[in-house]
Amino acid sequence: MGISASKRVKTLLSNSAEFNSACDSVYSYCLSLTQHAFPGVFLYQLNTASEKLYQILTVDQPHPIILKWVSSPPTNSQVDSAIGVVTRRPNKDLGYDEHTIGPNRFKEWAVELFGSAIAANANKAVLRRVPIGVAGIVGVGVVTRSGKDLVGTAIGVYALGIATSIYLGLCSSNK
Protein backbone atom coordinates (compact mmCIF):
# COMPACT_ATOMS: atom_id res chain seq x y z
CA MET A 1 0.00 0.00 0.00
CA GLY A 2 3.03 2.24 0.16
CA ILE A 3 2.59 5.52 1.98
CA SER A 4 0.79 5.43 5.33
CA ALA A 5 -2.88 6.34 5.45
CA SER A 6 -2.17 9.34 7.67
CA LYS A 7 0.42 10.77 5.27
CA ARG A 8 -1.80 10.11 2.27
CA VAL A 9 -4.75 11.91 3.90
CA LYS A 10 -2.56 14.86 4.87
CA THR A 11 -1.27 15.06 1.29
CA LEU A 12 -4.85 14.99 -0.04
CA LEU A 13 -5.81 17.82 2.30
CA SER A 14 -2.70 19.88 1.50
CA ASN A 15 -3.39 19.60 -2.23
CA SER A 16 -7.12 20.35 -1.94
CA ALA A 17 -8.13 23.77 -3.23
CA GLU A 18 -11.30 23.67 -1.10
CA PHE A 19 -9.35 22.89 2.07
CA ASN A 20 -6.77 25.61 1.37
CA SER A 21 -9.54 28.11 0.65
CA ALA A 22 -11.23 27.26 3.95
CA CYS A 23 -7.91 27.68 5.78
CA ASP A 24 -7.35 31.10 4.18
CA SER A 25 -10.87 32.18 5.08
CA VAL A 26 -10.59 31.09 8.71
CA TYR A 27 -7.11 32.59 9.06
CA SER A 28 -8.45 35.93 7.82
CA TYR A 29 -11.41 35.61 10.17
CA CYS A 30 -9.10 35.07 13.15
CA LEU A 31 -6.96 38.06 12.15
CA SER A 32 -10.09 40.20 11.88
CA LEU A 33 -11.01 39.28 15.47
CA THR A 34 -7.79 40.98 16.60
CA GLN A 35 -8.31 43.79 14.08
CA HIS A 36 -5.11 42.80 12.24
CA ALA A 37 -3.07 44.24 15.12
CA PHE A 38 -0.80 41.19 15.36
CA PRO A 39 1.38 39.32 12.85
CA GLY A 40 -0.56 36.07 13.14
CA VAL A 41 -3.26 34.05 14.83
CA PHE A 42 -2.96 33.58 18.57
CA LEU A 43 -2.72 30.02 19.83
CA TYR A 44 -5.76 30.56 22.04
CA GLN A 45 -7.82 31.27 18.90
CA LEU A 46 -7.20 27.81 17.46
CA ASN A 47 -10.16 26.14 19.20
CA THR A 48 -12.48 28.68 17.59
CA ALA A 49 -10.60 28.29 14.30
CA SER A 50 -11.06 24.50 14.34
CA GLU A 51 -14.82 24.88 14.87
CA LYS A 52 -15.03 27.46 12.08
CA LEU A 53 -13.02 25.20 9.74
CA TYR A 54 -15.28 22.28 10.55
CA GLN A 55 -18.35 24.44 9.83
CA ILE A 56 -16.98 25.51 6.46
CA LEU A 57 -15.79 22.02 5.46
CA THR A 58 -19.04 20.27 6.40
CA VAL A 59 -21.78 22.81 5.73
CA ASP A 60 -20.68 25.87 3.74
CA GLN A 61 -18.30 24.16 1.29
CA PRO A 62 -18.59 20.43 2.03
CA HIS A 63 -15.37 18.51 1.56
CA PRO A 64 -15.97 14.78 0.82
CA ILE A 65 -13.22 13.34 3.01
CA ILE A 66 -14.19 15.54 5.97
CA LEU A 67 -17.88 14.67 5.56
CA LYS A 68 -17.11 10.95 5.46
CA TRP A 69 -14.58 10.66 8.28
CA VAL A 70 -15.03 13.59 10.71
CA SER A 71 -18.43 13.47 12.40
CA SER A 72 -17.88 16.31 14.89
CA PRO A 73 -15.55 19.28 15.35
CA PRO A 74 -12.10 18.41 16.69
CA THR A 75 -11.80 18.37 20.47
CA ASN A 76 -9.61 20.74 22.48
CA SER A 77 -7.09 17.95 23.04
CA GLN A 78 -6.89 17.29 19.28
CA VAL A 79 -6.34 21.02 18.67
CA ASP A 80 -3.59 21.12 21.30
CA SER A 81 -1.96 17.97 19.98
CA ALA A 82 -1.89 19.33 16.41
CA ILE A 83 -0.36 22.65 17.47
CA GLY A 84 2.23 20.75 19.50
CA VAL A 85 3.23 18.73 16.43
CA VAL A 86 3.41 21.80 14.19
CA THR A 87 5.33 24.05 16.58
CA ARG A 88 7.99 21.37 17.14
CA ARG A 89 8.84 21.44 13.43
CA PRO A 90 11.47 23.89 12.17
CA ASN A 91 10.01 27.38 11.70
CA LYS A 92 9.38 28.08 8.00
CA ASP A 93 7.39 31.30 8.18
CA LEU A 94 8.32 34.52 9.86
CA GLY A 95 4.87 35.09 11.35
CA TYR A 96 5.46 32.76 14.27
CA ASP A 97 6.54 33.44 17.80
CA GLU A 98 5.58 31.62 20.96
CA HIS A 99 2.11 33.24 20.93
CA THR A 100 1.06 33.48 17.26
CA ILE A 101 1.29 31.46 14.04
CA GLY A 102 1.45 32.77 10.50
CA PRO A 103 -0.54 31.58 7.48
CA ASN A 104 1.81 28.72 6.51
CA ARG A 105 1.87 27.32 10.02
CA PHE A 106 -1.89 27.75 10.27
CA LYS A 107 -2.36 25.55 7.18
CA GLU A 108 0.13 23.01 8.56
CA TRP A 109 -1.84 22.98 11.81
CA ALA A 110 -5.17 22.51 10.00
CA VAL A 111 -3.76 19.66 7.88
CA GLU A 112 -2.32 18.00 10.98
CA LEU A 113 -5.57 18.48 12.91
CA PHE A 114 -7.98 17.14 10.31
CA GLY A 115 -5.54 14.55 8.91
CA SER A 116 -5.05 13.05 12.36
CA ALA A 117 -8.80 13.09 13.04
CA ILE A 118 -9.51 11.30 9.76
CA ALA A 119 -6.79 8.68 10.36
CA ALA A 120 -8.01 8.07 13.92
CA ASN A 121 -11.60 7.61 12.77
CA ALA A 122 -10.48 5.24 10.00
CA ASN A 123 -8.55 3.18 12.58
CA LYS A 124 -11.68 3.05 14.75
CA ALA A 125 -13.66 1.82 11.74
CA VAL A 126 -11.20 -1.03 11.23
CA LEU A 127 -11.32 -1.94 14.92
CA ARG A 128 -15.14 -1.95 14.85
CA ARG A 129 -15.53 -4.05 11.71
CA VAL A 130 -12.85 -6.70 12.16
CA PRO A 131 -14.07 -8.31 15.44
CA ILE A 132 -17.62 -8.70 14.11
CA GLY A 133 -16.43 -10.46 10.97
CA VAL A 134 -13.93 -12.57 12.88
CA ALA A 135 -16.67 -13.75 15.21
CA GLY A 136 -18.78 -14.72 12.20
CA ILE A 137 -15.89 -16.62 10.58
CA VAL A 138 -15.10 -18.46 13.81
CA GLY A 139 -18.79 -19.32 14.23
CA VAL A 140 -18.99 -20.73 10.71
CA GLY A 141 -15.73 -22.61 11.33
CA VAL A 142 -17.10 -24.20 14.49
CA VAL A 143 -20.40 -25.17 12.85
CA THR A 144 -18.70 -26.65 9.78
CA ARG A 145 -15.86 -28.16 11.85
CA SER A 146 -13.28 -26.59 9.59
CA GLY A 147 -9.63 -26.86 10.53
CA LYS A 148 -8.05 -24.08 12.57
CA ASP A 149 -5.60 -23.34 9.73
CA LEU A 150 -8.48 -22.69 7.32
CA VAL A 151 -10.31 -20.50 9.87
CA GLY A 152 -7.09 -18.62 10.67
CA THR A 153 -6.42 -17.99 6.99
CA ALA A 154 -10.00 -16.79 6.45
CA ILE A 155 -9.68 -14.41 9.41
CA GLY A 156 -6.41 -13.03 8.05
CA VAL A 157 -7.83 -12.51 4.58
CA TYR A 158 -10.95 -10.87 6.02
CA ALA A 159 -8.96 -8.49 8.26
CA LEU A 160 -6.65 -7.55 5.38
CA GLY A 161 -9.66 -6.96 3.14
CA ILE A 162 -11.30 -4.64 5.67
CA ALA A 163 -8.08 -2.68 6.24
CA THR A 164 -7.48 -2.39 2.49
CA SER A 165 -11.06 -1.30 1.87
CA ILE A 166 -10.84 1.49 4.43
CA TYR A 167 -7.37 2.54 3.21
CA LEU A 168 -8.59 2.75 -0.38
CA GLY A 169 -11.66 4.66 0.81
CA LEU A 170 -9.32 7.23 2.35
CA CYS A 171 -7.38 7.51 -0.89
CA SER A 172 -10.44 8.06 -3.05
CA SER A 173 -12.57 10.17 -0.68
CA ASN A 174 -11.28 13.41 -2.15
CA LYS A 175 -12.46 12.64 -5.69
Side-chain angles (χ1 to χ4, degrees), residues 2-172:
I3 193 169
S4 75
S6 178
K7 287 182 182 177
R8 185 170 295 262
V9 167
K10 289 174 184 175
T11 300
L12 285 171
L13 291 175
S14 294
N15 295 333
S16 167
E18 298 90 357
F19 188 82
N20 287 323
S21 172
C23 287
D24 292 340
S25 175
V26 172
Y27 185 81
S28 293
Y29 169 77
C30 289
L31 285 180
S32 72
L33 292 176
T34 59
Q35 299 177 353
H36 299 274
F38 300 95
V41 171
F42 283 99
L43 300 180
Y44 71 80
Q45 292 178 290
L46 295 178
N47 285 322
T48 301
S50 74
E51 291 172 8
K52 187 87 170 150
L53 270 171
Y54 181 79
Q55 168 72 25
I56 290 171
L57 295 169
T58 58
V59 177
D60 301 340
Q61 303 168 9
H63 194 285
I65 196 168
I66 303 292
L67 284 175
K68 183 173 183 177
W69 293 104
V70 185
S71 59
S72 63
T75 64
N76 291 347
S77 63
Q78 289 172 313
V79 171
D80 293 343
S81 176
I83 195 59
V85 169
V86 170
T87 56
R88 282 191 295 269
R89 293 180 186 148
N91 189 359
K92 292 192 279 187
D93 68 60
L94 300 175
Y96 172 77
D97 60 26
E98 61 274 359
H99 303 292
T100 63
I101 58 173
N104 293 337
R105 280 287 162 106
F106 185 84
K107 284 182 186 173
E108 284 182 47
W109 165 79
V111 166
E112 180 66 34
L113 177 65
F114 283 93
S116 295
I118 291 166
N121 287 335
N123 286 338
K124 287 179 191 173
V126 169
L127 293 175
R128 257 192 321 269
R129 292 180 189 170
V130 169
I132 294 168
V134 167
I137 292 169
V138 169
V140 168
V142 168
V143 169
T144 62
R145 297 182 186 194
S146 300
K148 63 182 173 180
D149 291 339
L150 179 63
V151 171
T153 301
I155 289 171
V157 169
Y158 173 77
L160 181 62
I162 291 294
T164 302
S165 169
I166 289 175
Y167 178 80
L168 293 174
L170 287 173
C171 298
S172 64

